Every structure is written in structure tokens, then in C-alpha cells.
Amino acid sequence: MKTITVALVPGDGAAPEMMDWACKIASAAARKDDVELVFEKTPMGWSAYEEFGDTLPKASFDRAVELGTVFFGGVGDPKFDNTIGLQHPEMKPEARCLLALRQRMKLLFNFRPMIYYPELRHLAQVRPETIPDEGIQQHFIRFLLEDSYFGNADFGDTIKHTVLESILGVKSKNNVTGEEAIVTDIAYYRRETIEKYIRAAFNYAKRLGLPLISIDKANVMARYEFWRRIVTRIGKEEFPDVPLSHQYVDSANALLFTPAKLHGVIACGNEHGDILSDAAAAALGSMGMMCSSAINPDTGAAMFESGAGTAPTLAGTDKANPIGRILTAALMLRHLGAVKGAAAIEEAVKTALKQGHRTGDMYVGGDPHQTLVYTKGFDPLHTSQMGQLILSLL
Ligand code: IPM
Ligand code: MN
């Protein structure tokens, strides 16, 4: 038995209730591969603020980075944003925790596979006839560093007191007052990082036997002209067997309404990927089910975080849908080499849905004729019931 210690961020809102089950399921599944998972709590978010006076306590941050594998429940709660957050905007945990972890752990890419479940097609925001019977594969691999998210911080020291700061008003987010004449965010890409990322994206597409769709805005922006040239060169020289196409981000956005036209591995910049991946999840109906992982390919450091939000209005009710976290646990197991456990979790989720089990969110806006138990008197499962069920199906 191999023991692996994982940093656990239980998170805010309803995240801890969901993470509880995701951890139980991950531990049970990992044993199939002779892996014993130990979850060590490294609190972050508003729940940590209550205890430590910081949404990113230093001890938690350092330990999470040291352990190198983070299972992240999700942070953020408007209730706190509108109270403590007003006095201390720098404490808002979404950017504070996530961006710091991504940067310190050098998490170069972010995998967001959009898994389409036919049983949940009533939740998809696109017209049913746009999804072929055989389903759809959209695997987002988002570039997770640099770009407009990190430019100000990365170049902050370099540009201080220079003409750039005084003319262009480069500010950090928390210093913006609204009274400035002009404000900018620095967005940048480095060739070395882009090349490494693009090779990984091609390899991923190759492994899955899917085409690579590269998203950019090369018709307008320098960094995307740069991006497209690098993608084209690496594709031609190193991956001639992987079909490659380019899409401008605006047209890719429109194609999300006809998902079959974006079938493949989708490579996109940090900001583009942030925006497109939420829309893709909603288009295919899997927003509450989105799973996500962020990886440093050099060190193997990784963070696993469902994209599904913290459902603050459901905190303490045992009603949130834990499946996004549970599927994220599967990504974590696969990364840690527990491949049987990962597959078992994914199968168990499919079976639970096929058998007609649903949480409350899968009920919203639905067509009663399209799912098994979606009828009068339908009583959605609680977080713990769905968790228990998936655990028993492993
Ligand atoms: C995400 C989130 C984060 C991002 C925020 C909270 C920093 O929206 O992971 O998609 O924009 O990357
Ligand atoms: Mn996002």
C-alpha cells in the first residue's frame, strides 16, 4: 500500500459537505490501486478567515504547496464579500487563493473535460438536435499562467515608477478606486511557456485521438498572432498526425451553441478559457458537474478543483450536488496513478445517473419526459444520499 498525503481545502458555502463525500469516495476508490489517501486540512477561503483572520493563511498555503497535491473545495461567498470584503477587498478568496496557488505551484494547464451525460440532456442549454446521438467530446485545456491574469503582478516591480505606470495607470485590482483617468492590465505570453503548453495540448489530443482546436484572437492582438504562429509551427513540425484547426475566440463562442462543431481538444489562453469553459459546461448541461484539474508538467504538482462553485445558498442544507467534486476526485486519482479507482468513480457516476438518481439542481428547468424518475412526486437526493449511493456503486 502506497500512502499519498493530499492537502484538503474544504472551502466555503456548501463545499465542505460535498468535499466530505468526494474524499470518502476518493479514499475508497484509491484502495483499488493499493493507494491509501490521507487528507490533511489546509483551510482557505472565508471559512479560514473566521478562524485565522486571513482567507489564505500562510501555514495552509505553504503546506499545500509543499504537499504538491491540492484537493480544493472552492472558495467564495457573497455574504462575506458584502461585509468583510468591502473593507478588505484584498481578502476576497477567489483571486487571492486560486491565483496564488496557480502561480506558486506553476500550474501551467487546466483540464476541463466537458462530459456530456445523455440522461441530463434536459439541462443542456443548446437545442437537443445539435447534440448527435453518439454524444460530444469537448476537452478544454486552458493555459493557466501569464496572460491578463498575472501581468500586473508579474511585471509590477518592473514597471513601478516608470512611464508605463504613470501613463497607462497599471494598477493591481485592489488599488483601483474608480477615479483614475485610465487603467490597464498587462497581458503577456512567453515563448517558452507557450511552447511547453502547446506541446502538452497536442500530446493530449494525440492520446485521446481527437483534433486540436486552437482558440485565439490573432486578427487583432499581438500575443495571439504569436500564439497562432507557435501552434502552427509545432503542429507542422512535431504533430503532423494531429488534425489542427484555428478558431477566433468570438466565433468559437458562437460555436458553443452547436457543440458538435467544437468536438476535440480545445487549447485556449487563460482569459479565453475561463470564459469559454463556463459557457461550454452550461451548453452541455453539466455546470454543476464540471470537473477541473490544474497541473505543473515539470514537477507533477497539481490542484483539483471542481468548477461548480460553492453553492452558498445551500450551505448546511445537505442539498448541493456533489458530483462535480466527485468527478474531480477521479481526475486526481488518475493523476496520482490510481487509474482503476478513477475509472470506477466515473462508472459509478454514470450508473447512478442511468438508474435515474438526481439531486435538486438536475430538476431545474427540466422536461419531465426525458429522465427516468423525473415525474410527479420526484424527491431529489440529498448530498449525502448521492454520495452514499456513488460510494456503494464503486
Ligand atoms: C475559474 C475561476 C477563477 C478564474 C477565478 C475565481 C480566479 O473563475 O477557475 O474559472 O478566473 O480562473
Ligand atoms: Mn471561471
Side-chain angles (χ1 to χ4, degrees):
M1 199 64 118
K2 180 176 164 197
T3 300
I4 301 177
T5 306
V6 171
L8 170 66
V9 180
D12 295 334
E17 301 156 48
M18 298 186 262
M19 290 301 275
D20 219 30
W21 283 98
C23 290
K24 280 188 191 134
I25 290 165
S27 298
R31 290 197 194 106
K32 294 182 190 294
D33 300 88
D34 279 327
V35 171
E36 185 67 32
L37 288 182
V38 175
F39 290 102
E40 184 179 320
K41 279 191 189 158
T42 52
M44 298 178 196
W46 287 122
S47 50
Y49 186 90
E50 297 195 297
E51 209 176 320
F52 304 101
D54 191 340
T55 51
L56 184 61
K58 189 173 180 314
S60 292
F61 184 48
D62 289 347
R63 183 64 178 146
V65 171
E66 187 185 341
L67 286 171
T69 310
V70 185
F71 194 25
F72 193 86
V75 293
D77 188 336
K79 195 170 76 209
F80 292 95
D81 290 346
N82 298 327
T83 50
I84 309 161
L86 292 179
Q87 278 102 52
H88 296 287
E90 76 285 359
M91 281 292 155
K92 288 192 183 172
E94 289 92 332
R96 182 168 173 79
C97 304
L98 283 177
L99 297 187
L101 285 165
R102 288 173 189 173
Q103 189 156 39
R104 175 85 86 83
M105 295 170 79
K106 296 200 169 57
L107 304 175
L108 177 61
F109 24 80
N110 175 205
F111 292 102
R112 292 187 167 170
M114 301 299 152
I115 307 167
Y116 171 69
Y117 294 93
E119 295 79 17
L120 299 182
R121 64 183 174 277
H122 61 290
L123 295 177
Q125 300 295 337
V126 296
R127 299 167 71 100
E129 64 270 24
T130 62
I131 302 179
D133 291 342
E134 64 276 18
I136 267 295
Q137 295 208 54
Q138 278 182 358
H139 298 264
F140 279 79
I141 172 171
R142 166 186 175 196
F143 181 71
L144 203 55
L145 297 173
E146 304 183 348
D147 204 339
S148 48
Y149 281 54
F150 291 102
N152 292 11
D154 291 356
F155 290 100
D157 290 337
T158 327
I159 58 161
K160 281 245 158 60
H161 314 298
T162 67
V163 80
L164 257 185
E165 183 175 344
S166 53
I167 297 180
L168 284 181
V170 177
K171 292 249 173 177
S172 79
K173 193 172 84 59
N174 297 318
N175 293 335
V176 171
T177 64
E179 301 301 322
E180 297 81 0
I182 180 168
V183 166
T184 189
D185 292 302
I186 295 178
Y188 76 103
Y189 291 151
R190 270 184 222 286
R191 180 155 61 83
E192 198 192 342
T193 0
I194 294 290
E195 284 178 348
K196 183 181 280 183
Y197 162 81
I198 288 299
R199 288 198 175 96
F202 270 113
N203 274 315
Y204 188 44
K206 192 171 171 169
R207 204 167 62 239
L208 296 177
L210 288 169
L212 185 74
I213 305 165
S214 170
I215 309 294
D216 64 40
K217 189 71 186 172
N219 47 354
V220 178
M221 283 185 252
R223 72 186 191 284
Y224 284 111
E225 181 65 41
F226 183 63
W227 171 289
R228 189 178 283 216
R229 282 170 186 266
I230 293 173
V231 174
T232 306
R233 169 169 51 78
I234 291 182
K236 203 165 139 199
E237 289 172 5
E238 300 172 36
F239 299 91
D241 46 338
V242 177
L244 168 68
S245 61
H246 303 274
Q247 281 292 339
Y248 294 132
V249 64
D250 46 349
S251 94
N253 185 47
L255 292 180
L256 291 175
F257 294 103
T258 47
K261 293 186 184 155
L262 280 179
H263 181 82
V265 168
I266 302 169
C268 42
N270 200 348
E271 189 171 344
H272 289 169
D274 186 22
I275 298 166
L276 291 176
S277 62
D278 275 15
L284 292 176
S286 55
M287 197 64 207
M289 313 269 293
M290 184 151 96
C291 55
S292 175
S293 66
I295 315 261
N296 175 332
D298 297 324
T299 63
M303 175 154 125
F304 300 87
E305 169 219 354
S306 153
T310 56
T313 55
L314 296 181
T317 64
D318 193 30
K319 281 189 180 153
N321 174 3
I323 296 183
R325 266 82 183 170
I326 294 169
L327 290 169
T328 301
L331 296 184
M332 178 168 73
L333 292 199
R334 191 165 287 118
H335 176 76
L336 295 173
V339 289
K340 283 186 226 151
I345 293 177
E346 286 160 355
E347 268 319 298
V349 168
K350 268 190 209 148
T351 307
L353 294 176
K354 272 202 193 109
Q355 290 178 350
H357 302 287
R358 306 284 182 264
T359 46
D361 58 310
M362 300 178 190
Y363 199 36
V364 183
D367 170 354
H369 304 296
Q370 294 201 341
T371 63
L372 289 175
V373 293
Y374 196 88
T375 51
K376 249 192 249 144
F378 168 62
D379 192 14
L381 292 191
H382 284 192
T383 312
S384 52
Q385 292 168 316
M386 185 57 100
Q388 186 65 60
L389 176 80
I390 293 170
L391 184 64
S392 70
L393 287 171
L394 283 180

